[in-house]
């Protein structure tokens, strides 16, 4: 079987803040590949480099050294305008605090990145409605964030993160503000998106949530110190919990 094409590649990525005796290394030579149909969870203590890794993966932070490639495109030295366009086209972010615009309805929040990318409003709304349907919130498309529960808001955020043709989801503690049951619902939605051919990088501190991933990467002091790949038996057991 031919391996799926990589969606995200980090090659010897390092990030250093400051210089000389005050230099702080946030990432040190990290190699990471995420392929289509694969979710990778990143775990580590506070300060281990998880958020920095996510920022580099999403082109929000340029590495001090090393290379980042998204869907076959190297991102080094590209103008900020080009990187913003690449993110709108390929990358979806899902944050712990949702980051929804309170004055916009659910469908308007989801359609916004497409409209910013130049889509006509009618086309963007059709795609947004489909994305909301896929996270089982199509019936609340005209609701404002304040009229939705925390779990519903997070599902809107997932819909916004996967709408259109974006196939790489970057999730930073997406269930941290939710109760355990609602968190499981959100992870099931994210897993469903990955199983459809997308890829996801999930930063989490909860081993139960990391178990939804195909691989778990452990960071310590900015370095990958261990990695767990689920066996066929473990994946079969995990699949039962997702059904």
């Amino acid at each position: 079987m031919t391996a799926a094409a990589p969606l995200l590649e980090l090659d010897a990525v390092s990030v250093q803040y400051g210089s000389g005796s005050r230099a702080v290394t946030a990432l040190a030579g990290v190699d990471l590949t995420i392929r289509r149909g694969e979710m990778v969870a990143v775990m580590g203590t506070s300060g281990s480099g998880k958020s920095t890794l996510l920022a580099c993966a999403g082109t929000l932070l340029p590495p001090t050294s090393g290379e980042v490639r998204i869907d076959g495109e190297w991102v080094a030295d590209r103008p900020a305008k080009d990187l913003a366009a690449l993110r709108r086209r390929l990358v979806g972010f899902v944050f712990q605090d949702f980051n929804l615009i309170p004055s916009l309805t659910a469908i308007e929040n989801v359609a916004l990145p497409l409209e910013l990318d130049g889509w006509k409003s009618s086309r963007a709304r059709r795609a947004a409605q489909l994305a909301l349907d896929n996270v089982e919130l199509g019936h609340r498309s005209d609701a404002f964030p304040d009229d939705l529960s925390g779990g519903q808001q997070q599902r809107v955020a997932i819909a916004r993160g996967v709408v259109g043709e974006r196939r790489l989801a970057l999730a930073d503690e997406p269930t941290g503000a939710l109760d355990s049951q609602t968190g499981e619902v959100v992870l099931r939605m994210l897993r469903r998106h990955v199983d459809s051919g997308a890829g996801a990088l999930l930063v989490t501190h909860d081993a139960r949530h990391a178990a939804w991933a195909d691989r778990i990467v452990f960071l310590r002091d900015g370095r990958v110190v261990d990695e767990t790949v689920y066996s066929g038996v473990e994946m079969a057991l995990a699949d039962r919990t997702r059904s």
Side-chain angles (χ1 to χ4, degrees), residues 7-8 34 57 70 90-92 161 166-170 193 198-201:
L7 273 172
L8 173 69
I34 297 177
I70 297 178
L90 296 176
V91 183
R166 287 178 292 170
R167 307 304 291 169
L168 176 62
L170 303 178
H193 178 60
L201 180 61

Side-chain angles (χ1 to χ4, degrees), residues 5 21-22 27 39 44 48 61 67 74 92 95 104 128 137 143 153 177-178 201 210 214:
S21 61
R22 297 185 177 181
L27 291 178
M39 181 189 296
S48 61
L61 176 69
E67 299 284 352
W74 293 109
F95 301 99
L104 299 182
L137 273 181
Q153 290 184 52
L178 306 175
L201 180 61
D214 303 283

Side-chain angles (χ1 to χ4, degrees), residues 5-213:
L7 273 172
L8 173 69
E9 297 170 87
L10 275 64
D11 182 11
V13 166
S14 296
V15 174
Q16 181 176 296
Y17 299 108
S19 60
S21 61
R22 297 185 177 181
V24 175
T25 298
L27 291 178
V30 171
D31 295 318
L32 179 67
T33 298
I34 297 177
R35 299 182 181 277
R36 297 176 186 274
E38 183 180 41
M39 181 189 296
V40 175
V42 177
M43 301 189 71
T45 59
S46 178
S48 61
K50 302 188 301 298
S51 295
T52 301
L53 175 62
L54 203 69
C56 284
T59 75
L60 297 174
L61 176 69
T64 306
S65 62
E67 299 284 352
V68 177
R69 182 158 54 182
I70 297 178
D71 202 23
E73 298 185 36
W74 293 109
V75 303
D77 301 324
R78 296 182 65 167
K81 183 178 179 180
D82 289 354
L83 290 178
L86 182 145
R87 286 192 295 270
R88 289 195 301 267
R89 179 167 49 90
L90 296 176
V91 183
F93 294 89
V94 183
F95 301 99
Q96 178 177 334
D97 55 359
F98 317 142
N99 284 351
L100 301 178
I101 299 175
S103 60
L104 299 182
T105 64
I107 194 170
E108 289 170 340
N109 266 284
V110 176
L112 182 61
L114 299 180
E115 293 177 344
L116 292 174
D117 202 31
W119 289 40
K120 291 184 177 179
S121 179
S122 58
R123 182 188 176 204
R125 286 182 69 93
R126 286 195 299 270
Q129 184 65 54
L130 177 60
L132 287 170
D133 289 342
N134 288 339
V135 297
E136 301 176 8
L137 273 181
H139 63 294
R140 301 302 309 276
S141 60
D142 292 327
F144 290 93
D146 286 347
D147 297 322
L148 300 173
S149 68
Q152 289 174 330
Q153 290 184 52
Q154 189 58 291
R155 284 152 65 185
V156 172
I158 289 177
R160 182 185 58 191
V162 303
V163 71
E165 300 175 354
R166 287 178 292 170
R167 307 304 291 169
L168 176 62
L170 303 178
D172 190 4
E173 300 281 5
T175 60
L178 306 175
D179 62 75
S180 59
Q181 184 174 359
T182 306
E184 293 290 311
V185 172
V186 166
L187 286 166
R188 185 174 291 111
M189 300 293 177
L190 188 60
R191 183 72 233 187
R192 184 182 302 168
H193 178 60
V194 171
D195 290 341
S196 73
L201 180 61
L202 169 68
V203 168
T204 182
H205 68 279
D206 193 323
R208 294 171 302 172
H209 296 164
W212 287 77

